[in-house]
Amino acid sequence: AAATSYNAAVKRHGVLLSLICLVYLCTLSDAYFGRISDGRMMLDTAVALHHFGDLRVGYVIDPDGRVIPRPGGGGRFGAGYPLVQQLPLLFVGPVEHLFGTGQSNVLFPLTNLLLLGLTALTISLVLSEMGLTFRSAALAAVAFAFGTCAWPYVSYEFSEPVQALCVGAAFLFSVRAAGR
């Protein structure tokens, strides 16, 4: 009986995550990626790490694929978000080969979409662990996903989505540890 209840809870939370991600996907835009200086610096740091194994932002890759040295030192930001951006960078080449140059831009907002969707899921899981009904926990997750400043972060390359997920996951693990 406990296994059946657990499986039902997993399914409900999976549906919740899917619905939040679907709405995020319908409102997703790559129009602002690379256009805001802080986000651009984090993306440049991610590219430098990906291509050169170096956190210093001292290289630019032009549209022809040539590496151009650029004077400068390290990026102004930490390595956390550039490390997360390694995942979409793995798929840039294949996506651009299949669909054309510039078509891989959507990979980066998709990463934020997943990060924020998982953050909403952690909110629901925390509240479920604390004894709230699934309905209450789901409403809180939906309120976070669409009623706070989280939603716009789907389309911008800032580190806040990864920070929110880390804080939410840490709290979830703390609540689970305290309950045992």
Side-chain angles (χ1 to χ4, degrees):
T4 305
S5 174
Y6 177 77
N7 288 338
V10 168
K11 286 180 185 176
R12 287 188 304 218
H13 282 96
V15 169
L16 174 65
L17 175 63
S18 298
L19 291 174
I20 289 171
C21 287
L22 180 64
V23 173
Y24 278 167
L25 186 62
C26 291
T27 62
L28 185 71
S29 171
D30 68 345
Y32 303 107
F33 261 73
R35 302 224 170 111
I36 299 172
S37 65
D38 290 352
R40 184 67 204 185
M41 180 62 74
M42 285 185 268
L43 184 60
D44 288 347
T45 303
V47 170
L49 180 62
H50 184 78
H51 286 288
F52 310 110
D54 194 348
L55 285 171
R56 291 177 291 167
V57 180
Y59 307 95
V60 175
I61 300 175
D62 72 7
D64 296 324
R66 294 180 302 224
V67 178
I68 302 169
R70 181 176 74 184
R76 299 180 300 227
F77 303 100
Y81 192 62
L83 284 173
V84 170
Q85 287 181 316
Q86 298 308 301
L87 184 62
L89 282 171
L90 293 173
F91 298 101
V92 166
V95 167
E96 294 208 351
H97 179 72
L98 286 171
F99 301 109
T101 303
Q103 299 303 311
S104 64
N105 291 349
V106 75
L107 293 174
F108 297 98
L110 284 174
T111 303
N112 282 354
L113 177 151
L114 184 59
L115 291 169
L116 288 168
L118 289 172
T119 303
L121 178 64
T122 60
I123 290 169
S124 179
L125 291 171
V126 163
L127 295 175
S128 293
E129 285 284 327
M130 295 174 75
L132 274 73
T133 64
F134 173 75
R135 181 175 184 221
S136 297
L139 286 173
V142 168
F144 164 79
F146 306 115
T148 68
C149 61
W151 197 352
Y153 279 102
V154 170
S155 296
Y156 291 95
E157 74 270 49
F158 290 121
S159 60
E160 283 76 3
V162 74
Q163 292 172 18
L165 178 59
C166 289
V167 169
F171 189 66
L172 173 62
F173 296 141
S174 297
V175 167
R176 284 191 174 167
R180 292 181 187 200

